[in-house]
Coordinates of all heavy atoms in Angstrom, one line a residue:
M22 N 26.4 -5.9 -5.1 CA 27.1 -5.2 -6.2 C 26.0 -4.9 -7.3 O 25.3 -5.8 -7.7 CB 28.2 -6.0 -6.7 CG 29.0 -5.3 -7.8 SD 29.9 -3.9 -7.0 CE 30.8 -3.3 -8.3
S23 N 25.9 -3.7 -7.7 CA 25.0 -3.4 -8.8 C 25.6 -3.6 -10.1 O 26.8 -3.4 -10.3 CB 24.4 -2.0 -8.6 OG 25.5 -1.1 -8.8
G24 N 24.8 -4.0 -11.1 CA 25.2 -4.1 -12.4 C 24.3 -3.3 -13.3 O 23.2 -3.0 -13.0
G25 N 24.8 -2.9 -14.4 CA 24.0 -2.1 -15.3 C 24.7 -1.9 -16.6 O 25.7 -2.3 -16.9
G26 N 23.9 -1.1 -17.4 CA 24.4 -0.8 -18.7 C 23.4 0.1 -19.4 O 22.4 0.5 -18.9
F27 N 23.7 0.5 -20.7 CA 22.9 1.4 -21.4 C 22.9 1.0 -22.9 O 23.8 0.3 -23.4 CB 23.3 2.8 -21.2 CG 24.7 3.1 -21.9 CD1 24.7 3.7 -23.1 CD2 25.9 2.8 -21.2 CE1 25.9 3.9 -23.8 CE2 27.1 3.1 -21.9 CZ 27.1 3.6 -23.1
V28 N 21.9 1.5 -23.6 CA 21.8 1.4 -25.0 C 21.4 2.8 -25.6 O 20.5 3.4 -25.1 CB 20.7 0.4 -25.4 CG1 20.5 0.4 -26.9 CG2 21.1 -1.0 -25.0
R29 N 22.2 3.2 -26.6 CA 21.8 4.5 -27.3 C 20.9 4.1 -28.4 O 21.2 3.3 -29.3 CB 23.1 5.1 -27.8 CG 22.8 6.5 -28.5 CD 24.0 7.3 -28.7 NE 24.8 7.6 -27.5 CZ 24.5 8.5 -26.6 NH1 23.4 9.3 -26.7 NH2 25.2 8.7 -25.5
L30 N 19.8 4.8 -28.4 CA 18.7 4.5 -29.5 C 19.0 5.4 -30.7 O 19.8 6.4 -30.6 CB 17.4 4.9 -28.9 CG 17.0 4.1 -27.6 CD1 15.7 4.6 -27.1 CD2 16.9 2.6 -27.9
P31 N 18.4 5.0 -31.9 CA 18.7 5.7 -33.1 C 18.4 7.2 -33.0 O 19.0 8.0 -33.7 CB 17.8 5.0 -34.1 CG 17.6 3.7 -33.6 CD 17.6 3.8 -32.1
G32 N 17.4 7.6 -32.2 CA 17.0 9.0 -32.1 C 18.0 9.8 -31.2 O 17.8 11.0 -31.0
G33 N 18.9 9.2 -30.6 CA 19.9 9.9 -29.7 C 19.7 9.7 -28.3 O 20.6 10.0 -27.5
S34 N 18.5 9.3 -27.9 CA 18.2 9.1 -26.4 C 18.8 7.7 -26.0 O 19.3 7.0 -26.8 CB 16.7 9.1 -26.2 OG 16.1 8.1 -26.8
V35 N 18.8 7.5 -24.7 CA 19.4 6.3 -24.1 C 18.4 5.6 -23.2 O 17.5 6.2 -22.6 CB 20.7 6.5 -23.3 CG1 21.8 7.1 -24.2 CG2 20.5 7.4 -22.2
V36 N 18.6 4.3 -23.1 CA 17.8 3.5 -22.1 C 18.9 2.9 -21.1 O 19.8 2.3 -21.6 CB 17.0 2.4 -22.7 CG1 16.4 1.5 -21.6 CG2 15.9 2.9 -23.6
V37 N 18.8 3.3 -19.9 CA 19.7 2.8 -18.9 C 19.1 1.7 -18.0 O 17.9 1.9 -17.6 CB 20.2 4.0 -18.0 CG1 21.1 3.4 -16.8 CG2 21.0 5.0 -18.8
A38 N 19.7 0.6 -17.8 CA 19.2 -0.5 -16.9 C 20.2 -0.7 -15.8 O 21.4 -0.8 -16.0 CB 19.1 -1.7 -17.7
L39 N 19.7 -0.7 -14.6 CA 20.6 -0.9 -13.4 C 19.9 -2.0 -12.5 O 18.7 -2.0 -12.3 CB 20.7 0.4 -12.6 CG 21.4 1.5 -13.2 CD1 21.2 2.8 -12.5 CD2 22.9 1.2 -13.3
T40 N 20.8 -2.8 -11.9 CA 20.3 -3.8 -10.9 C 20.8 -3.2 -9.6 O 22.0 -3.1 -9.3 CB 20.9 -5.2 -11.2 OG1 20.5 -5.6 -12.5 CG2 20.3 -6.2 -10.2
L41 N 19.9 -2.9 -8.7 CA 20.2 -2.2 -7.4 C 19.6 -3.0 -6.2 O 18.6 -3.7 -6.4 CB 19.6 -0.8 -7.4 CG 20.0 0.1 -8.6 CD1 19.1 1.3 -8.6 CD2 21.4 0.5 -8.4
P42 N 20.1 -2.8 -5.0 CA 19.4 -3.4 -3.9 C 18.1 -2.7 -3.7 O 17.9 -1.5 -3.9 CB 20.4 -3.0 -2.7 CG 21.6 -2.6 -3.3 CD 21.3 -2.1 -4.7
S43 N 17.1 -3.5 -3.3 CA 15.7 -3.0 -3.1 C 15.7 -2.1 -1.9 O 16.1 -2.5 -0.8 CB 14.8 -4.2 -2.9 OG 13.5 -3.7 -2.6
P44 N 15.1 -0.9 -2.0 CA 14.9 0.0 -0.9 C 13.9 -0.5 0.1 O 13.9 0.0 1.3 CB 14.5 1.3 -1.5 CG 14.0 1.0 -2.8 CD 14.6 -0.3 -3.2
E45 N 13.1 -1.5 -0.2 CA 12.0 -1.9 0.7 C 12.3 -3.3 1.3 O 11.7 -3.6 2.3 CB 10.7 -1.9 0.0 CG 10.6 -2.8 -1.2 CD 9.2 -2.7 -1.9 OE1 8.6 -1.7 -1.8 OE2 8.9 -3.7 -2.6
A46 N 13.1 -4.1 0.8 CA 13.4 -5.4 1.3 C 14.8 -5.7 1.4 O 15.5 -5.6 0.3 CB 12.6 -6.5 0.4
E47 N 15.3 -6.1 2.5 CA 16.7 -6.4 2.7 C 17.1 -7.7 1.9 O 16.4 -8.7 2.0 CB 17.0 -6.7 4.2 CG 18.4 -6.8 4.6 CD 19.2 -5.5 4.4 OE1 18.6 -4.4 4.6 OE2 20.4 -5.6 4.2
G48 N 18.2 -7.6 1.2 CA 18.7 -8.8 0.5 C 18.1 -9.0 -0.9 O 18.5 -9.9 -1.6
R49 N 17.1 -8.2 -1.3 CA 16.5 -8.4 -2.6 C 17.0 -7.4 -3.6 O 17.5 -6.3 -3.2 CB 15.0 -8.2 -2.5 CG 14.3 -9.4 -1.8 CD 12.8 -9.3 -1.8 NE 12.2 -8.9 -3.1 CZ 11.0 -8.4 -3.3 NH1 10.2 -8.2 -2.3 NH2 10.6 -8.1 -4.5
M50 N 17.0 -7.7 -4.8 CA 17.5 -6.8 -5.9 C 16.3 -6.4 -6.8 O 15.4 -7.2 -6.9 CB 18.6 -7.5 -6.7 CG 19.8 -7.9 -5.9 SD 20.7 -6.6 -5.2 CE 21.7 -6.1 -6.6
V51 N 16.4 -5.2 -7.4 CA 15.5 -4.8 -8.4 C 16.2 -4.4 -9.6 O 17.3 -3.9 -9.6 CB 14.6 -3.7 -7.8 CG1 13.7 -4.1 -6.7 CG2 15.4 -2.5 -7.4
R52 N 15.6 -4.5 -10.7 CA 16.1 -4.1 -12.0 C 15.3 -2.8 -12.4 O 14.1 -2.8 -12.5 CB 15.9 -5.1 -13.1 CG 16.4 -4.8 -14.5 CD 17.8 -5.0 -14.6 NE 18.2 -5.1 -16.0 CZ 19.4 -5.0 -16.5 NH1 20.4 -5.0 -15.6 NH2 19.7 -5.0 -17.8
V53 N 16.0 -1.7 -12.6 CA 15.4 -0.4 -12.8 C 15.8 0.0 -14.2 O 16.9 -0.1 -14.6 CB 15.9 0.6 -11.8 CG1 15.3 2.0 -12.1 CG2 15.6 0.2 -10.4
L54 N 14.8 0.5 -15.0 CA 15.0 1.0 -16.4 C 14.6 2.4 -16.4 O 13.6 2.9 -15.9 CB 14.1 0.2 -17.3 CG 14.2 -1.3 -17.4 CD1 13.2 -1.9 -18.3 CD2 15.6 -1.6 -17.9
V55 N 15.4 3.2 -17.1 CA 15.2 4.6 -17.3 C 15.4 5.0 -18.7 O 16.4 4.7 -19.3 CB 16.2 5.5 -16.4 CG1 15.8 6.9 -16.5 CG2 16.2 5.0 -15.0
H56 N 14.5 5.8 -19.3 CA 14.6 6.3 -20.6 C 14.8 7.8 -20.5 O 14.1 8.5 -19.8 CB 13.3 6.0 -21.5 CG 13.4 6.6 -22.8 ND1 12.5 7.5 -23.3 CD2 14.3 6.5 -23.8 CE1 12.8 7.8 -24.5 NE2 13.9 7.2 -24.9
S57 N 15.9 8.3 -21.1 CA 16.2 9.7 -21.0 C 17.1 10.2 -22.2 O 17.4 9.4 -23.0 CB 17.1 9.9 -19.7 OG 17.2 11.3 -19.4
V58 N 17.3 11.5 -22.2 CA 18.1 12.0 -23.3 C 19.6 11.6 -23.3 O 20.2 11.6 -24.3 CB 17.9 13.6 -23.4 CG1 16.5 13.9 -23.7 CG2 18.4 14.2 -22.2
N59 N 20.1 11.4 -22.1 CA 21.5 10.9 -22.0 C 21.7 10.2 -20.7 O 20.8 10.2 -19.8 CB 22.5 12.1 -22.1 CG 22.3 13.2 -21.1 OD1 22.0 12.9 -20.0 ND2 22.5 14.4 -21.5
R60 N 22.9 9.6 -20.5 CA 23.1 8.8 -19.3 C 23.1 9.6 -18.0 O 22.5 9.2 -17.0 CB 24.5 8.0 -19.4 CG 24.4 6.9 -20.4 CD 25.8 6.2 -20.4 NE 26.6 7.1 -21.2 CZ 27.9 6.9 -21.3 NH1 28.5 5.9 -20.7 NH2 28.7 7.7 -22.1
A61 N 23.7 10.8 -18.1 CA 23.7 11.6 -16.9 C 22.3 12.0 -16.4 O 22.0 12.0 -15.2 CB 24.6 12.8 -17.1
R62 N 21.5 12.4 -17.4 CA 20.1 12.7 -17.1 C 19.3 11.6 -16.5 O 18.5 11.7 -15.6 CB 19.4 13.3 -18.3 CG 18.0 13.8 -18.2 CD 17.9 15.1 -17.4 NE 18.7 16.1 -17.9 CZ 18.3 17.1 -18.8 NH1 17.1 17.1 -19.2 NH2 19.1 18.0 -19.1
A63 N 19.6 10.4 -17.0 CA 18.9 9.2 -16.5 C 19.3 8.9 -15.0 O 18.4 8.6 -14.2 CB 19.3 7.9 -17.3
L64 N 20.5 9.0 -14.7 CA 20.9 8.9 -13.3 C 20.4 10.0 -12.4 O 20.0 9.7 -11.3 CB 22.5 8.8 -13.2 CG 23.1 7.6 -13.9 CD1 24.6 7.7 -13.9 CD2 22.6 6.3 -13.4
T65 N 20.3 11.2 -12.9 CA 19.7 12.3 -12.2 C 18.2 12.0 -11.9 O 17.7 12.3 -10.8 CB 19.9 13.6 -13.0 OG1 21.3 13.8 -13.1 CG2 19.2 14.8 -12.2
R66 N 17.5 11.5 -12.9 CA 16.1 11.1 -12.7 C 16.0 10.1 -11.5 O 15.1 10.3 -10.7 CB 15.5 10.5 -13.9 CG 15.3 11.5 -15.0 CD 14.5 10.9 -16.2 NE 13.1 10.7 -15.8 CZ 12.3 9.9 -16.5 NH1 12.7 9.3 -17.6 NH2 11.1 9.8 -16.1
L67 N 16.8 9.1 -11.4 CA 16.8 8.2 -10.3 C 17.1 8.8 -9.0 O 16.5 8.6 -8.0 CB 17.7 7.0 -10.6 CG 17.3 6.0 -11.6 CD1 18.4 5.0 -11.9 CD2 16.0 5.4 -11.2
R68 N 18.1 9.7 -9.0 CA 18.5 10.4 -7.8 C 17.4 11.3 -7.3 O 17.2 11.5 -6.1 CB 19.8 11.2 -8.0 CG 21.0 10.3 -8.2 CD 22.3 11.1 -8.4 NE 23.3 10.1 -8.7 CZ 24.1 10.2 -9.8 NH1 24.0 11.2 -10.6 NH2 25.1 9.3 -10.0
N69 N 16.7 11.9 -8.2 CA 15.5 12.8 -7.8 C 14.4 12.0 -7.2 O 13.6 12.6 -6.5 CB 15.0 13.6 -9.0 CG 16.0 14.7 -9.4 OD1 16.9 15.0 -8.7 ND2 15.9 15.1 -10.7
H70 N 14.3 10.7 -7.5 CA 13.3 9.8 -6.9 C 13.8 9.2 -5.5 O 13.1 8.4 -5.0 CB 12.9 8.7 -7.8 CG 11.9 9.2 -8.8 ND1 12.3 9.8 -10.0 CD2 10.6 9.2 -8.8 CE1 11.2 10.1 -10.7 NE2 10.1 9.8 -10.0
G71 N 14.9 9.6 -5.0 CA 15.4 9.1 -3.7 C 16.5 8.1 -3.8 O 17.0 7.7 -2.7
L72 N 16.9 7.6 -4.9 CA 18.0 6.6 -5.0 C 19.3 7.4 -5.2 O 19.8 7.6 -6.3 CB 17.7 5.7 -6.2 CG 16.5 4.9 -6.1 CD1 16.2 4.1 -7.4 CD2 16.5 3.9 -5.0
R73 N 19.8 7.8 -4.0 CA 20.9 8.8 -4.1 C 22.2 8.3 -4.6 O 23.0 8.9 -5.3 CB 21.1 9.4 -2.7 CG 19.9 10.2 -2.2 CD 19.8 11.5 -3.0 NE 18.6 12.2 -2.5 CZ 17.9 13.0 -3.2 NH1 18.3 13.2 -4.5 NH2 16.9 13.7 -2.8
A74 N 22.6 7.1 -4.1 CA 24.0 6.5 -4.5 C 23.9 5.6 -5.7 O 24.2 4.5 -5.6 CB 24.5 5.8 -3.3
V75 N 23.4 6.2 -6.8 CA 23.3 5.4 -8.0 C 24.4 5.8 -9.0 O 24.5 7.0 -9.4 CB 21.9 5.6 -8.7 CG1 21.8 4.9 -10.0 CG2 20.8 5.1 -7.7
Y76 N 25.2 4.9 -9.5 CA 26.2 5.1 -10.4 C 26.2 4.1 -11.5 O 25.8 2.9 -11.3 CB 27.6 5.1 -9.8 CG 27.7 6.2 -8.7 CD1 27.5 5.9 -7.4 CD2 28.0 7.5 -9.1 CE1 27.6 6.9 -6.4 CE2 28.1 8.5 -8.2 CZ 27.9 8.2 -6.8 OH 28.0 9.2 -5.9
L77 N 26.6 4.4 -12.7 CA 26.7 3.5 -13.8 C 28.2 3.3 -14.2 O 28.8 4.3 -14.7 CB 25.9 4.0 -15.0 CG 25.9 3.1 -16.3 CD1 25.3 1.7 -16.0 CD2 25.2 3.8 -17.4
R78 N 28.7 2.2 -13.8 CA 30.1 1.9 -14.1 C 30.2 0.8 -15.2 O 29.9 -0.4 -14.9 CB 30.8 1.5 -12.8 CG 30.9 2.6 -11.8 CD 31.7 2.1 -10.6 NE 31.9 3.2 -9.7 CZ 31.1 3.4 -8.6 NH1 30.2 2.5 -8.3 NH2 31.3 4.4 -7.8
G79 N 30.6 1.1 -16.3 CA 30.7 0.2 -17.4 C 29.4 -0.1 -18.1 O 28.3 0.5 -17.9
N80 N 29.4 -1.1 -18.9 CA 28.2 -1.5 -19.7 C 28.1 -3.0 -19.7 O 27.9 -3.7 -20.7 CB 28.3 -1.0 -21.1 CG 27.0 -0.9 -21.8 OD1 26.0 -1.0 -21.2 ND2 27.1 -0.8 -23.2
A81 N 28.3 -3.6 -18.5 CA 28.3 -5.1 -18.4 C 26.9 -5.7 -18.6 O 26.8 -6.9 -19.1 CB 28.9 -5.5 -17.1
H82 N 25.9 -5.1 -18.2 CA 24.5 -5.6 -18.2 C 23.6 -4.7 -18.9 O 22.7 -4.1 -18.3 CB 24.0 -6.0 -16.8 CG 24.9 -6.9 -16.1 ND1 25.0 -8.3 -16.4 CD2 25.8 -6.7 -15.1 CE1 25.9 -8.9 -15.6 NE2 26.4 -7.9 -14.9
P83 N 23.7 -4.5 -20.2 CA 22.8 -3.5 -20.9 C 21.4 -4.0 -20.9 O 21.1 -5.2 -20.7 CB 23.4 -3.4 -22.3 CG 24.1 -4.7 -22.5 CD 24.6 -5.1 -21.1
P84 N 20.4 -3.2 -21.2 CA 19.0 -3.6 -21.2 C 18.8 -4.5 -22.4 O 19.4 -4.4 -23.5 CB 18.2 -2.3 -21.4 CG 19.2 -1.3 -21.8 CD 20.5 -1.7 -21.4
T85 N 17.9 -5.5 -22.2 CA 17.5 -6.4 -23.3 C 16.5 -5.7 -24.2 O 15.9 -4.7 -23.9 CB 16.9 -7.7 -22.7 OG1 15.7 -7.3 -22.1 CG2 17.9 -8.4 -21.7
P86 N 16.3 -6.3 -25.4 CA 15.3 -5.7 -26.3 C 13.9 -5.6 -25.7 O 13.2 -4.7 -25.9 CB 15.3 -6.6 -27.5 CG 16.7 -7.1 -27.5 CD 17.1 -7.3 -26.1
D87 N 13.5 -6.6 -24.9 CA 12.2 -6.6 -24.2 C 12.2 -5.5 -23.2 O 11.1 -4.8 -23.0 CB 12.0 -7.9 -23.5 CG 11.7 -9.0 -24.5 OD1 11.3 -8.7 -25.6 OD2 11.9 -10.2 -24.1
E88 N 13.3 -5.2 -22.5 CA 13.3 -4.2 -21.5 C 13.2 -2.8 -22.2 O 12.5 -1.9 -21.7 CB 14.6 -4.2 -20.6 CG 14.6 -5.4 -19.7 CD 15.9 -5.6 -19.0 OE1 17.0 -5.1 -19.5 OE2 15.9 -6.2 -17.9
I89 N 13.9 -2.7 -23.3 CA 13.8 -1.4 -24.0 C 12.4 -1.1 -24.5 O 11.9 0.0 -24.3 CB 14.8 -1.4 -25.2 CG1 16.2 -1.5 -24.7 CG2 14.6 -0.2 -26.1 CD1 17.2 -1.8 -25.8
T90 N 11.7 -2.1 -25.0 CA 10.4 -2.0 -25.5 C 9.5 -1.6 -24.3 O 8.6 -0.7 -24.4 CB 9.9 -3.3 -26.1 OG1 10.7 -3.6 -27.2 CG2 8.4 -3.2 -26.6
A91 N 9.6 -2.2 -23.1 CA 8.8 -1.9 -22.0 C 8.9 -0.5 -21.5 O 8.0 0.2 -21.3 CB 9.2 -2.8 -20.8
V92 N 10.2 0.0 -21.4 CA 10.4 1.4 -21.0 C 10.0 2.4 -22.0 O 9.5 3.5 -21.7 CB 11.8 1.6 -20.5 CG1 12.8 1.8 -21.6 CG2 11.9 2.8 -19.5
L93 N 10.1 2.1 -23.3 CA 9.7 3.1 -24.3 C 8.2 3.2 -24.4 O 7.7 4.3 -24.8 CB 10.2 2.6 -25.7 CG 11.7 2.8 -25.9 CD1 12.1 2.3 -27.3 CD2 12.2 4.3 -25.7
H94 N 7.4 2.2 -24.0 CA 6.0 2.2 -24.1 C 5.3 2.7 -22.8 O 4.1 2.7 -22.7 CB 5.4 0.9 -24.5 CG 5.6 0.6 -26.0 ND1 6.8 0.0 -26.4 CD2 4.9 0.9 -27.0 CE1 6.7 -0.1 -27.7 NE2 5.5 0.4 -28.1
H95 N 6.1 3.0 -21.8 CA 5.6 3.5 -20.5 C 5.6 5.0 -20.5 O 6.6 5.6 -20.9 CB 6.4 3.0 -19.3 CG 5.7 3.2 -18.0 ND1 5.9 4.3 -17.3 CD2 4.8 2.5 -17.4 CE1 5.1 4.3 -16.2 NE2 4.5 3.2 -16.2
P96 N 4.5 5.7 -20.1 CA 4.5 7.2 -20.2 C 5.6 7.9 -19.3 O 6.0 8.9 -19.7 CB 3.1 7.5 -19.7 CG 2.4 6.3 -19.3 CD 3.3 5.1 -19.7
D97 N 5.9 7.3 -18.2 CA 6.9 7.9 -17.3 C 8.4 7.6 -17.8 O 9.3 8.3 -17.5 CB 6.8 7.4 -15.9 CG 5.5 7.9 -15.2 OD1 5.0 8.9 -15.7 OD2 5.1 7.3 -14.2
G98 N 8.6 6.5 -18.5 CA 9.9 6.1 -18.9 C 10.8 5.7 -17.7 O 12.0 5.8 -17.8
L99 N 10.2 5.2 -16.6 CA 10.9 4.8 -15.4 C 10.2 3.6 -14.8 O 9.1 3.8 -14.2 CB 11.0 6.0 -14.5 CG 12.0 6.0 -13.3 CD1 13.4 5.8 -13.8 CD2 11.9 7.3 -12.6
L100 N 10.8 2.4 -14.9 CA 10.2 1.2 -14.5 C 11.1 0.3 -13.6 O 12.3 0.5 -13.6 CB 9.8 0.3 -15.7 CG 8.9 1.0 -16.7 CD1 8.8 0.0 -17.9 CD2 7.5 1.2 -16.1
W101 N 10.5 -0.6 -12.9 CA 11.3 -1.6 -12.1 C 10.6 -2.9 -12.0 O 9.3 -3.0 -12.2 CB 11.6 -1.0 -10.7 CG 10.4 -1.0 -9.8 CD1 9.4 -0.1 -9.8 CD2 10.0 -2.1 -8.9 NE1 8.4 -0.5 -8.9 CE2 8.7 -1.7 -8.3 CE3 10.5 -3.3 -8.5 CZ2 8.1 -2.4 -7.4 CZ3 9.8 -4.1 -7.6 CH2 8.7 -3.6 -7.0
R102 N 11.3 -4.0 -11.7 CA 10.8 -5.3 -11.2 C 11.9 -6.0 -10.5 O 13.1 -5.6 -10.6 CB 10.2 -6.1 -12.4 CG 11.2 -6.6 -13.3 CD 10.5 -7.5 -14.4 NE 11.5 -7.9 -15.4 CZ 11.2 -8.4 -16.5 NH1 9.9 -8.7 -16.8 NH2 12.1 -8.8 -17.4
T103 N 11.5 -7.0 -9.8 CA 12.5 -7.8 -9.0 C 13.5 -8.5 -9.9 O 13.2 -8.8 -11.0 CB 11.9 -8.8 -8.0 OG1 11.1 -9.7 -8.8 CG2 11.0 -8.1 -7.0
A104 N 14.7 -8.7 -9.4 CA 15.8 -9.3 -10.1 C 16.5 -10.3 -9.2 O 16.6 -10.0 -8.0 CB 16.8 -8.3 -10.7
P105 N 16.9 -11.5 -9.6 CA 16.7 -12.0 -10.9 C 15.3 -12.4 -11.1 O 14.5 -12.7 -10.1 CB 17.6 -13.2 -10.9 CG 17.7 -13.6 -9.5 CD 17.6 -12.4 -8.7
Q106 N 14.9 -12.5 -12.3 CA 13.5 -12.8 -12.7 C 13.2 -14.3 -12.4 O 13.6 -15.1 -13.2 CB 13.2 -12.4 -14.2 CG 11.8 -12.5 -14.6 CD 11.0 -11.5 -13.8 OE1 11.4 -10.4 -13.4 NE2 9.7 -11.7 -13.7
E107 N 12.5 -14.6 -11.3 CA 12.2 -15.9 -10.9 C 10.8 -16.4 -11.4 O 10.6 -17.5 -11.8 CB 12.3 -16.1 -9.4 CG 13.7 -15.8 -8.9 CD 13.7 -15.5 -7.4 OE1 12.6 -15.4 -6.8 OE2 14.8 -15.3 -6.9
T108 N 9.9 -15.5 -11.4 CA 8.5 -15.7 -11.9 C 8.1 -14.7 -12.9 O 8.9 -13.7 -13.1 CB 7.5 -15.7 -10.7 OG1 7.5 -14.4 -10.2 CG2 7.8 -16.7 -9.6
V109 N 7.0 -14.9 -13.5 CA 6.5 -13.9 -14.5 C 6.0 -12.7 -13.7 O 5.1 -12.8 -12.9 CB 5.4 -14.5 -15.4 CG1 4.8 -13.5 -16.3 CG2 5.9 -15.7 -16.1
E110 N 6.6 -11.6 -13.9 CA 6.3 -10.4 -13.2 C 6.2 -9.2 -14.2 O 7.2 -9.1 -15.0 CB 7.3 -10.1 -12.1 CG 7.0 -8.8 -11.3 CD 8.0 -8.5 -10.3 OE1 9.0 -9.2 -10.2 OE2 7.8 -7.5 -9.5
L111 N 5.2 -8.4 -14.1 CA 5.1 -7.3 -15.0 C 6.0 -6.2 -14.4 O 6.4 -6.1 -13.3 CB 3.7 -6.8 -15.1 CG 2.7 -7.8 -15.7 CD1 1.3 -7.3 -15.6 CD2 3.1 -8.2 -17.1
W112 N 6.3 -5.2 -15.3 CA 7.0 -4.0 -14.9 C 6.1 -3.1 -14.0 O 4.9 -3.0 -14.3 CB 7.6 -3.3 -16.1 CG 8.7 -4.0 -16.7 CD1 8.5 -4.8 -17.8 CD2 10.0 -4.0 -16.4 NE1 9.8 -5.4 -18.1 CE2 10.7 -4.9 -17.3 CE3 10.8 -3.4 -15.4 CZ2 12.1 -5.2 -17.2 CZ3 12.1 -3.7 -15.3 CH2 12.8 -4.5 -16.2
H113 N 6.7 -2.4 -13.1 CA 6.0 -1.5 -12.2 C 6.5 -0.1 -12.4 O 7.7 0.1 -12.6 CB 6.1 -1.9 -10.7 CG 5.8 -3.3 -10.4 ND1 4.6 -3.8 -10.3 CD2 6.7 -4.4 -10.2 CE1 4.6 -5.1 -10.1 NE2 5.9 -5.5 -10.0
P114 N 5.6 0.9 -12.2 CA 6.2 2.3 -12.2 C 7.0 2.5 -11.0 O 6.8 1.9 -9.9 CB 4.9 3.2 -12.2 CG 3.8 2.3 -11.9 CD 4.2 0.9 -12.1
I115 N 8.0 3.5 -11.1 CA 8.9 3.7 -10.0 C 8.2 4.1 -8.7 O 8.7 3.8 -7.6 CB 10.0 4.7 -10.4 CG1 11.2 4.6 -9.5 CG2 9.5 6.1 -10.5 CD1 12.0 3.4 -9.6
R116 N 7.1 4.8 -8.8 CA 6.4 5.3 -7.6 C 5.9 4.2 -6.8 O 5.7 4.3 -5.6 CB 5.3 6.3 -8.0 CG 4.2 5.7 -8.8 CD 3.2 6.8 -9.2 NE 2.3 6.3 -10.2 CZ 2.5 6.4 -11.5 NH1 3.6 7.0 -11.9 NH2 1.7 5.9 -12.4
A117 N 5.7 3.0 -7.4 CA 5.3 1.8 -6.6 C 6.4 1.2 -5.7 O 6.1 0.6 -4.7 CB 4.7 0.7 -7.5
L118 N 7.6 1.4 -6.1 CA 8.8 1.0 -5.4 C 9.1 2.0 -4.3 O 9.5 1.6 -3.2 CB 10.0 0.8 -6.3 CG 11.3 0.4 -5.6 CD1 11.2 -1.0 -5.1 CD2 12.4 0.5 -6.6
L119 N 9.0 3.2 -4.5 CA 9.4 4.3 -3.6 C 8.3 4.9 -2.8 O 8.5 6.0 -2.3 CB 10.3 5.3 -4.4 CG 11.4 4.8 -5.2 CD1 12.0 5.8 -6.0 CD2 12.5 4.1 -4.2
R120 N 7.1 4.3 -2.8 CA 6.0 5.0 -2.1 C 6.3 5.0 -0.6 O 6.9 4.1 0.0 CB 4.7 4.3 -2.4 CG 4.4 3.1 -1.7 CD 3.0 2.6 -2.0 NE 2.7 2.6 -3.4 CZ 2.2 1.5 -4.1 NH1 2.0 0.4 -3.5 NH2 1.9 1.6 -5.3
P121 N 6.0 6.1 0.1 CA 6.3 6.2 1.5 C 5.5 5.2 2.3 O 4.3 4.9 2.0 CB 5.9 7.7 1.8 CG 5.0 8.1 0.7 CD 5.3 7.3 -0.5
V122 N 6.1 4.8 3.4 CA 5.4 3.8 4.3 C 4.5 4.6 5.2 O 5.0 5.5 5.9 CB 6.5 3.0 5.1 CG1 5.8 2.1 6.1 CG2 7.4 2.3 4.1
R123 N 3.3 4.2 5.2 CA 2.3 4.9 6.1 C 2.1 4.1 7.4 O 2.0 2.9 7.4 CB 0.9 5.0 5.4 CG 1.0 5.8 4.2 CD -0.4 6.0 3.7 NE -0.4 6.3 2.3 CZ -1.4 6.4 1.5 NH1 -2.6 6.1 2.0 NH2 -1.3 6.7 0.2
P124 N 2.1 4.8 8.5 CA 1.9 4.1 9.8 C 0.5 3.5 9.8 O -0.5 4.1 9.3 CB 2.1 5.1 10.9 CG 2.2 6.4 10.2 CD 2.4 6.2 8.7
A125 N 0.3 2.4 10.4 CA -1.0 1.7 10.5 C -1.9 2.4 11.5 O -1.6 3.0 12.4 CB -0.8 0.2 10.8

């Protein structure tokens, strides 16, 4: 089950945080952060990157202040890392999660 939430920033934009199943590893979860002008646009950005069945239902797990800072300081405004946070892990750009698998 995915959890997520959002925070509206003073400038009117939003930061959306979602916990989703990892597309690359069975049974693992990832926390994805998106900075956008509104919630619908944030979900559209994720869908455009290949995460088709992404929905935000409720605001049970909004982004923490540290997550908001991380996504605001990234040029793409779209980050991820594994969840739950077991070790110290930096945020990764979304293209690192969704990169195509190349045959060896």
Side-chain angles (χ1 to χ4, degrees):
M22 185 69 178
S23 64
F27 69 95
V28 171
R29 184 165 304 279
L30 301 175
S34 62
V35 297
V36 174
V37 175
L39 295 166
T40 304
L41 305 168
S43 175
E45 60 183 24
E47 188 70 29
R49 289 183 49 200
M50 302 293 279
V51 294
R52 180 82 164 168
V53 179
L54 301 175
V55 184
H56 178 236
S57 190
V58 294
N59 58 38
R60 286 180 285 169
R62 182 71 55 93
L64 296 176
T65 300
R66 288 186 70 193
L67 287 175
R68 290 180 187 127
N69 288 343
H70 278 89
L72 299 170
R73 296 288 180 211
V75 176
Y76 297 98
L77 180 61
R78 293 185 176 101
N80 199 14
H82 303 285
T85 64
D87 290 338
E88 291 175 334
I89 294 169
T90 301
V92 76
L93 288 178
H94 285 89
H95 192 270
D97 292 339
L99 194 55
L100 302 172
W101 72 276
R102 72 175 172 193
T103 57
Q106 190 64 27
E107 298 161 355
T108 61
V109 176
E110 179 183 6
L111 298 176
W112 289 97
H113 309 282
I115 197 71
R116 63 184 167 271
L118 177 66
L119 304 173
R120 80 174 47 125
V122 178
R123 296 184 201 173

